[in-house]
């Protein structure tokens, strides 16, 4: 199991798209930094995450969502986490692949 | 012995990720089994006919040919990422294994440590 | 578990160093060990001791130093990346006959082998890219 972190906005880079191409069903994805903009509902990129949620768990770092004023606007099914939860996810996944 | 995968996703020259990533690969090869994966703009690192001299900077492209001497033989390139950029394996500076997304997925599963550049 | 982190981003310009720091604090709070933080690429700028942010902002390099002092973390500045970018300790400044140095004493200038070593000897090696 691999934990994938994504820190770039899907509106400016293909980082998330590349990640989702190769993510396995048992893996998990964590949106961090500008990567959390992928969590926005009703956006031109929402389908990326909505499709991904059919097969993988997607998490988003709450401090990054709050800092950007979008924590109330996120796609249903994304789980919001704090840093403590982020560490827990790295305990459960043997490897971490950073997409930046 | 832990297996290391080095993933390169950035183009040469615009940023130094590729060059400094290659330095890390060479260092890693002295201690652990190393596998390389080039995807996204990272496939452009391997484009033939690079002439860094035109920018007055050191050309590290020939270093890829030396990887064999460092016993780095597992070098993979994303088929889709090559195709998206209008390239094929013949355009690359070294022989590589071209793999699809399923192949990349399996490759990542087999590693103990993943370092990305 | 034993963790090591790799930080590629400079302070202030990118969030990478900040994210890595919060992650470091969280893993230590959970009782894990933080073996090493390896600063690579522009991440080497985290090693300066001459950062002077406005009073209402955090001193990111100093914050790493304090964390290392408290938890015995090996803060490694990649020497090849650092020399190119003008981040030097007193020894290197003397070697290259330069008029000053700028690295914090909590940081260690060392080679890329320390990154590989961190991967070998840690249960988790996590990259914070810029």
């Amino acid at each position: 199991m691999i934990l994938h972190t994504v820190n770039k906005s899907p509106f400016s880079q293909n980082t998330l798209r590349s990640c989702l191409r190769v993510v396995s069903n048992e893996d998990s994805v964590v949106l961090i930094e500008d990567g959390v903009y992928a969590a926005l509902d009703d956006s031109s990129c929402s389908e990326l995450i909505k499709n991904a949620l059919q097969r993988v768990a997607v998490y988003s770092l709450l401090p990054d969502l709050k800092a950007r004023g979008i924590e109330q606007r996120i796609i249903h099914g994304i789980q919001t986490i704090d840093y403590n939860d982020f560490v827990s996810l790295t305990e459960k996944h043997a490897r971490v692949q950073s997409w930046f | 012995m832990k297996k290391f995968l080095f993933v390169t996703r950035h183009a040469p020259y615009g940023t130094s990720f590729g060059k400094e990533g290659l330095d890390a690969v060479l260092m890693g090869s002295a201690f652990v089994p190393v596998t390389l994966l080039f995807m996204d703009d990272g496939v452009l690192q391997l484009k033939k006919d690079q002439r860094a001299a035109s920018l007055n900077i050191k050309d590290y492209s020939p270093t890829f040919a030396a990887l064999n001497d460092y016993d780095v033989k597992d070098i993979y390139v994303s088929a889709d990422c090559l195709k998206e950029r209008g390239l094929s394996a013949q355009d690359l500076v070294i022989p590589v294994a071209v793999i699809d997304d399923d192949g990349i997925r399996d490759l990542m599963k087999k590693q103990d440590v993943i370092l990305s550049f | 578990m034993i963790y090591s982190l790799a930080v590629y981003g400079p302070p202030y310009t990118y969030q990478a160093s900040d994210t890595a720091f919060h992650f470091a604090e969280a893993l230590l709070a959970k009782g894990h060990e933080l073996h090493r933080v390896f600063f690579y690429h522009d991440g080497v700028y985290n090693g300066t001791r001459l950062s002077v942010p406005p009073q209402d902002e955090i001193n990111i390099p100093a914050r790493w130093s304090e964390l290392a002092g408290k938890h015995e973390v090996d803060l490694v500045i990649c020497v090849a990346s650092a020399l190119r970018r003008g981040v030097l300790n007193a020894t290197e400044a003397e070697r290259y006959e330069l008029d000053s140095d700028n690295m914090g004493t909590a940081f260690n200038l060392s080679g890329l082998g320390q990154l590989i070593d961190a991967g070998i000897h840690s249960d988790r090696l996590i990259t914070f890219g810029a």
Side-chain angles (χ1 to χ4, degrees):
Chain A
M1 288 202 303
I2 301 176
L3 185 67
H4 300 262
T5 66
V6 177
N7 78 342
K8 293 289 186 288
S9 164
F11 302 100
S12 61
Q13 306 229 25
N14 68 355
T15 316
L16 175 66
R17 286 173 192 83
S18 299
C19 166
L20 295 178
R21 273 161 74 151
V22 299
V23 69
S24 293
N25 291 353
E26 69 270 21
D27 293 351
S28 301
V29 177
V30 187
L31 306 172
I32 65 170
E33 300 174 5
D34 283 349
V36 301
Y37 286 119
L40 273 173
D41 204 359
D42 299 319
S43 84
S44 61
C45 293
S46 296
E47 287 306 310
L48 279 173
I49 292 292
K50 284 182 180 172
N51 291 335
L53 281 168
Q54 312 278 334
R55 59 186 194 91
V56 291
V58 180
Y59 302 86
S60 184
L61 207 50
L62 189 56
D64 279 324
L65 289 168
K66 280 187 174 171
R68 290 163 175 79
I70 59 169
E71 79 274 20
Q72 305 293 342
R73 305 280 294 269
I74 66 171
I75 294 162
H76 180 74
I78 293 179
Q79 302 171 63
T80 59
I81 57 169
D82 59 16
Y83 276 97
N84 184 59
D85 303 321
F86 188 6
V87 174
S88 299
L89 285 172
T90 64
E91 292 164 9
K92 286 173 201 139
H93 297 76
R95 285 140 292 157
V96 180
Q97 153 72 356
S98 304
W99 301 84
F100 61 89
Chain B
M1 186 98 77
K2 282 192 182 179
K3 288 188 285 187
F4 279 52
L5 173 69
F6 291 81
V7 184
T8 301
R9 295 188 46 253
H10 294 88
Y13 311 115
T15 68
S16 67
F17 286 116
K19 180 171 184 287
E20 292 187 279
L22 185 57
D23 289 340
V25 167
L26 297 179
M27 178 58 73
S29 67
F31 299 99
V32 288
V34 161
T35 300
L36 268 59
L37 169 64
F38 293 87
M39 60 182 294
D40 298 312
D41 279 349
V43 304
L44 302 168
Q45 296 279 348
L46 299 175
K47 171 73 178 64
K48 262 184 199 167
D49 302 326
Q50 290 181 38
R51 286 189 295 270
S54 71
L55 298 172
N56 245 333
I57 55 178
K58 197 167 128 186
D59 192 352
Y60 65 95
S61 182
T63 312
F64 290 113
L67 284 171
N68 199 37
D69 303 332
Y70 286 84
D71 224 27
V72 179
K73 298 184 197 311
D74 296 324
I75 304 174
Y76 297 88
V77 174
S78 158
D80 284 351
C81 296
L82 272 180
K83 202 172 158 212
E84 283 164 12
R85 288 157 184 80
L87 300 174
S88 71
Q90 283 73 47
D91 294 306
L92 306 183
V93 76
I94 46 168
V96 297
V98 176
I99 53 168
D100 62 11
D101 290 346
D102 288 334
I104 292 174
R105 201 170 294 134
D106 291 339
L107 191 66
M108 286 186 169
K109 276 183 196 166
K110 289 183 201 149
Q111 312 301 321
D112 298 304
V113 179
I114 307 176
L115 282 167
S116 31
F117 292 98
Chain C
M1 276 186 187
I2 301 172
Y3 279 77
S4 285
L5 312 180
V7 178
Y8 296 168
Y12 304 109
T13 315
Y14 287 89
Q15 219 188 321
S17 175
D18 206 45
T19 305
F21 183 82
H22 291 308
F23 187 86
E25 278 192 323
L27 76 88
L28 289 164
K30 292 197 80 175
H32 296 298
E33 182 190 330
L34 181 55
H35 170 55
R36 178 173 297 146
V37 183
F38 189 87
F39 296 93
Y40 198 35
H41 297 280
D42 281 0
V44 298
Y45 290 120
N46 285 283
T48 181
R49 60 177 158 77
L50 304 181
S51 178
V52 189
Q55 281 197 341
D56 57 348
E57 282 184 29
I58 290 156
N59 188 323
I60 293 176
R63 192 173 60 170
W64 278 115
S65 300
E66 285 158 25
L67 185 89
K70 210 163 137 192
H71 298 278
E72 291 180 25
V73 183
D74 185 21
L75 300 180
V76 175
I77 301 290
C78 174
V79 63
S81 294
L83 292 182
R84 281 190 186 107
R85 291 169 173 85
V87 176
L88 292 91
N89 61 11
T91 313
E92 295 302 314
E94 200 175 324
R95 187 199 314 272
Y96 293 99
E97 298 177 359
L98 296 166
D99 57 8
S100 61
D101 64 272
N102 55 0
M103 246 182 73
T105 52
F107 296 88
N108 303 307
L109 209 49
S110 192
L112 266 172
Q114 299 300 312
L115 175 64
I116 306 303
D117 177 80
I120 295 170
H121 294 109
S122 307
D123 299 305
R124 299 287 183 274
L125 172 58
I126 301 171
T127 303
F128 292 87

